[in-house]
Amino acid sequence: MNFELKPMGLAAVSSEKCDALIVLVPQDFQAGKDDVSTLIAQALKSADLEAKPGKLLCLYRPAQASAVRVVLVGVGSGSARDVRGAVMAALASAKTSSLKKLLVCFAAPAREDAVRAVVTAVADTTYSYTTTKSKPEGRTLSKVMLAVTNASEVRASFDRAVGIVVGAELAKEWANRPANHATPSLLAQAAQELAELPKITCEVLGPKEVAKLGMGAFMAVAQGSDQPLRFVILKYNGAAKTKAPTVLVGKGITFDCGGVSIKPAAEMDEMKFDMSGAASVLGVFRSLAALKPAINVVGLIPTCENLINGRAVKPGDVVTSMAGQTIEILNTDAEGRLILCDALTYAERFKPTAVVDIATLTGACVIALGGVRSGLFAAQEELGNALFAAGEVAQDLCWRMPLDDEYADGLKTSFADVANVGGRAGGAIAAAKFLQRFADKFPWAHLDVAGTAWKSGAAKGATGRPVGLLVEYLMTQAQTK
C-alpha cells in the first residue's frame, strides 16, 4: 500500500478519480465556492450531516465529485483522536472489495497529529493477515492519497507516520503468526532478512554460543522445548561508529504454556503473542531502514519457547544468570524476565546511551492499565519523560509506573540471590524491579505491553504497538544529539 501526500483542497479533489473519497469536516468548517464545499454546506444545513466526530453521510457517485463513493464525516475539533475515529468509521462504510484507490481530504488546514492519525487509521483498518490462510483475502487497497492545503507544514509528520506503518505491519505479521509458523529459528530468519536493508546488520547465536556466554536464566526457560533457542543481535548504523547506541531488548517467547506452572487452557492460543516485544523490535528496525535517522540502534532478541518436557525447569530450581546472580524460579510462568535479564546483561558491552526492554510481561499490567496504555517503568526521569512524550506524539500511549525499592521486598528468598516472583500485589512492578537488578550500569526503561500488544475477542490480532512510540523516541533522539 502506497501513501501519497497531495497539496490540494476541496476544489481540486472533486475532479480526482478514485474508488472512495473521504472528506474530513471540522466543526468550524467554512464553505468555499467549489462544488464539494457547497455539498458539505447543504448537508450540514439540512442536518443530514453533523460535524461531530464520527457522524457521516455516504453518497454514491454524486455529481459534485469524480469518486465512486463519497463519505462526508465529522471530525469535531480536528484532534488526532477525533480524526482517527472518523476515518475508521468512514472506512467501515466505504471499504469494499473494489476499494483500490482512496483519497482522504481535510476540509480545513490539517494538524500534524491529525495527519499521523489518518495514516495509521487507514493502515490499521485495512490490515489483513493472510499468511496461513488457504484462500487469502488480503488488502485490496493499494494507493492512499492524503489531500491537505498545508502540505509543506505536515510533510515531516506524514513521512514519519508512513515509516512507522511499515514497521508496525511487520510487527503485526510476526506476532499474528501461529507458533508453528513463528519458531525461534524462523523469527531469527526474519531478523536476518532485515539485514538485506541498508545500514542494518544481523548476528544470530545458537545454544552453544549462548551457553558460552553463561546465559543460564535464558537457557533454563528454553530447556523445556525441542525448538532450539536463538539470540538475535540486530544493528542499525545510522551515525558515526563512535556514537553510543540505544539498545532495544524484545521478549521473544514464541509460545508460552507457562511451563510446569501451566496456564489455564482458555485463551492459551493467545500465548503465540508472547513474542510481541521481539516483533516490535523487528518492526522498529524496518521503520529505521525507511526513515534513515542519524542514530545507532542495537536490537537484542532472546527467543525460545516455554513448554514442558522431561528437562523443563521446575519450581524451586535455582539457576545462574549471565550477571552471576542466582535466581530461584518459584513460578515457571514468570519466564519472560528470565530471558530478558540475560539480554540486559549482554547489553552492557555496547556502553549504550539508554536501554529499553519491551515485553508482554505481566497480566498484572493488564489489570492496572487495560488495553489503552502500556506500562512504562524508567529508572531515570529524563528517559522516562522522553518515552512518555514520544507515546503522546505517536498516539501510542503509555503510563509511568513506580519503581520504589519496597516493591522488590517480595523477591527475597533464602535459597538464591533473588526469586523470580513475589506476591500477587503489585505484580507488574515487582517484575520491573527484578529486571532493574540487571540494568544498573546504564539508563534503563521497561515497557510492559501485555495489555496493548494484541486484542482479544472478535478483533483478535496484534496491534503493532509499541513500534510507533519507539520510533518516535528514536527519531527525536537522533534530532537532539
Side-chain angles (χ1 to χ4, degrees), residues 174 179 181-190 204 218 222 225 227-232 252-255 301-306:
W174 280 97
H181 290 264
T183 62
S185 296
L186 290 174
L187 198 64
Q189 287 179 24
V204 177
F218 181 17
S225 170
Q227 289 287 341
L229 63 78
R230 293 289 184 267
F231 188 67
V232 176
I253 299 293
T254 57
F255 190 81
I301 299 175
T303 177
C304 65
E305 294 179 330
N306 186 27

Side-chain angles (χ1 to χ4, degrees), residues 204-241:
V204 177
L205 307 183
K208 291 182 179 179
E209 294 88 351
V210 167
K212 189 174 181 180
L213 288 168
M215 293 183 168
F218 181 17
M219 292 188 295
V221 177
Q223 69 192 42
S225 170
D226 292 339
Q227 289 287 341
L229 63 78
R230 293 289 184 267
F231 188 67
V232 176
I233 305 146
L234 279 164
K235 294 180 181 178
Y236 169 79
N237 303 298
K241 292 182 179 180

Side-chain angles (χ1 to χ4, degrees), residues 105-434:
C105 178
F106 281 87
R111 292 168 36 172
E112 289 184 278
D113 59 349
V115 167
R116 286 172 175 263
V118 171
V119 174
T120 56
V122 170
D124 287 343
T125 305
T126 61
Y127 171 82
S128 179
Y129 172 79
T130 61
T131 300
T132 51
K133 295 182 179 181
S134 62
K135 296 180 180 179
E137 295 181 5
R139 174 190 277 145
T140 60
L141 184 61
S142 58
K143 185 172 184 179
V144 181
M145 298 174 290
L146 181 54
V148 296
T149 56
N150 56 332
S152 60
E153 297 175 13
V154 300
R155 168 67 65 181
S157 292
F158 172 81
D159 290 342
R160 189 169 299 185
V162 173
I164 287 172
V165 162
V166 172
E169 296 211 338
L170 180 64
K172 288 180 185 180
E173 166 66 24
W174 280 97
N176 279 330
R177 287 191 179 201
N180 61 328
H181 290 264
T183 62
S185 296
L186 290 174
L187 198 64
Q189 287 179 24
Q192 289 172 319
E193 289 173 6
L194 286 172
E196 298 174 7
L197 298 172
K199 301 184 179 183
I200 294 179
T201 61
C202 180
E203 181 182 5
V204 177
L205 307 183
K208 291 182 179 179
E209 294 88 351
V210 167
K212 189 174 181 180
L213 288 168
M215 293 183 168
F218 181 17
M219 292 188 295
V221 177
Q223 69 192 42
S225 170
D226 292 339
Q227 289 287 341
L229 63 78
R230 293 289 184 267
F231 188 67
V232 176
I233 305 146
L234 279 164
K235 294 180 181 178
Y236 169 79
N237 303 298
K241 292 182 179 180
T242 55
K243 296 290 185 180
T246 299
V247 177
L248 305 179
V249 182
K251 174 185 171 185
I253 299 293
T254 57
F255 190 81
D256 179 20
C257 80
V260 173
S261 308
I262 195 166
K263 293 178 179 289
E267 299 179 345
M268 194 195 285
D269 66 288
E270 294 188 5
M271 288 301 96
K272 70 176 185 177
F273 294 118
D274 210 21
M275 42 67 69
S276 295
S280 73
V281 173
L282 295 180
V284 168
F285 273 75
R286 181 63 186 87
S287 292
L288 291 174
L291 296 171
K292 302 178 177 62
I295 190 173
N296 294 329
V297 184
V298 174
L300 302 178
I301 299 175
T303 177
C304 65
E305 294 179 330
N306 186 27
L307 293 179
I308 310 171
N309 60 19
R311 300 183 304 278
V313 69
K314 306 172 292 298
D317 284 359
V318 174
V319 299
T320 303
S321 69
M322 184 181 178
Q325 297 186 45
T326 58
I327 304 166
E328 184 181 18
I329 302 175
L330 295 177
N331 188 325
T332 65
D333 193 25
E335 84 298 329
R337 64 200 71 181
L338 296 175
I339 71 171
L340 289 172
C341 73
D342 280 344
L344 288 171
T345 301
Y346 188 88
E348 293 176 13
R349 64 186 57 201
F350 299 105
K351 296 180 173 56
T353 58
V355 176
V356 182
D357 73 71
I358 312 100
T360 49
L361 205 64
T362 65
C365 196
V366 183
I367 300 302
L369 297 175
V372 179
R373 290 180 181 265
S374 302
L376 168 62
F377 301 81
Q380 291 78 24
E381 284 299 309
E382 183 180 357
L383 177 58
N385 292 340
L387 288 166
F388 180 84
E392 295 294 306
V393 172
Q395 300 145 44
D396 187 354
L397 306 177
C398 61
W399 192 253
R400 197 73 185 270
M401 302 287 277
L403 277 173
D404 303 78
D405 288 341
E406 288 80 2
Y407 285 108
D409 289 346
L411 300 174
K412 294 178 180 178
T413 172
S414 301
F415 305 103
D417 297 332
V418 65
N420 75 325
V421 293
R424 292 188 65 188
I429 309 170
K433 292 300 293 183
F434 177 91

